């Protein structure tokens, strides 16, 4: 038994994924960033930690085998399949403030991932203080030897997918990124697909 939802361009999505089940995120049209936050569904004070995850795996990029760790260093989800190759942990979520700083005050009214996270998180009693560093599935943020980074054209293409196995009951918040000022969505946000299913044997 599986449940599939197509998340429209710029929209938010959330779900509780029970321990032992899997979540598959499919980039339907290619080059679409999917901003992602993760919490222990039983205690949302336990949530995804970029620092713990990056330190434990010794790599800032996520791919098959990456374990998403909490701020208590406990496993929340594991990437069991990835047909894209690598995903970002450092680019963060776009906001009205960051848009204004990077692209000019005229972008202030544009919808942003932080807006999506706040609206969707409110359904579970989460607020601004509960937003932490997020994952950007499919977003291409190369890091140069001198430490500089940039948001550049994606490496994803239509139909690529990744699958995450829930190690415990988790609450997933997603912002299907609405950014139009940099190449992370090819300057034209598109829909993605979320499927919750039984784990493969």
């Amino acid at each position: 038994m599986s449940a599939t939802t197509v998340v429209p361009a710029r929209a938010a999505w959330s779900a509780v994924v029970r321990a032992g089940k899997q979540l598959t995120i499919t980039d339907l049209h290619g080059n679409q960033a999917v901003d992602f936050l993760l919490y222990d569904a039983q205690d949302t004070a336990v949530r995804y930690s970029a620092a713990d995850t990056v330190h434990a795996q010794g790599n800032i990029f996520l791919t098959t085998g990456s374990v998403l760790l909490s701020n208590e260093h406990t496993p929340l989800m594991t990437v069991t399949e990835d047909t894209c190759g690598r995903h970002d942990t450092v680019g963060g979520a776009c906001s009205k403030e960051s848009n204004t700083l990077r692209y000019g005050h005229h972008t202030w009214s544009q919808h942003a991932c932080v807006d999506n996270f706040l609206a969707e998180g409110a359904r579970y009693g989460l607020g601004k203080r509960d937003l932490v560093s997020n994952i950007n599935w499919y977003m291409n943020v190369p890091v140069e030897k001198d430490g500089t980074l940039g948001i550049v054209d994606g490496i994803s293409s239509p139909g690529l997918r990744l699958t995450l196995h829930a190690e415990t009951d988790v609450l997933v918040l997603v912002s299907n990124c609405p950014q139009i000022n940099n190449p992370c969505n090819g300057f034209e946000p598109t829909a993605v697909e979320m499927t919750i299913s039984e784990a493969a044997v």
Side-chain angles (χ1 to χ4, degrees):
M1 182 71 96
S2 64
T4 296
T5 302
V6 173
V7 183
R10 303 177 175 85
W13 178 88
S14 63
V16 172
V17 183
R18 299 297 177 187
K21 292 193 177 260
Q22 64 184 25
L23 170 66
T24 299
I25 305 172
T26 304
D27 187 1
L28 294 174
H29 303 281
N31 206 20
Q32 173 61 40
V34 180
D35 288 42
F36 183 95
L37 286 173
L38 185 61
Y39 304 82
D40 186 314
Q42 308 305 322
D43 179 6
T44 56
V46 180
R47 67 276 304 266
Y48 169 72
S49 168
D52 286 78
T53 300
V54 168
H55 180 264
Q57 70 171 2
N59 194 329
I60 64 169
F61 299 113
L62 302 176
T63 188
T64 305
S66 296
V67 180
L68 309 185
L69 295 177
S70 76
N71 53 332
E72 294 191 352
H73 212 72
T74 54
L76 296 173
M77 300 187 94
T78 300
V79 182
T80 56
E81 180 188 27
D82 173 23
T83 62
C84 180
R86 74 178 195 200
H87 306 267
D88 170 63
T89 62
V90 297
C94 60
S95 66
K96 293 181 182 300
E97 293 79 8
S98 65
N99 280 345
T100 299
L101 180 65
R102 292 172 176 166
Y103 311 114
H105 190 71
H106 67 282
T107 66
W108 174 259
S109 62
Q110 292 176 2
H111 195 56
C113 285
V114 169
D115 301 321
N116 277 341
F117 282 145
L118 289 173
E120 201 67 18
R123 299 176 55 204
Y124 306 91
L126 300 174
K128 199 166 218 178
R129 291 188 179 190
D130 298 299
L131 300 188
V132 294
S133 296
N134 61 287
I135 296 165
N136 294 306
W137 302 117
Y138 301 108
M139 191 159 136
N140 188 16
V141 184
V143 180
E144 305 299 336
K145 289 182 179 180
D146 64 359
T148 59
L149 57 86
I151 299 169
V152 299
D153 285 337
I155 57 174
S156 182
S157 57
L160 294 190
R161 68 185 182 277
L162 66 99
T163 298
L164 299 149
H165 178 271
E167 305 297 345
T168 189
D169 291 352
V170 292
L171 168 63
V172 174
L173 300 184
V174 161
S175 172
N176 192 20
C177 184
Q179 182 61 252
I180 58 173
N181 301 293
N182 70 48
C184 71
N185 303 319
F187 300 104
E188 185 180 354
T190 54
V192 296
E193 184 179 86
M194 318 294 289
T195 301
I196 299 173
S197 60
E198 299 295 333
V201 177

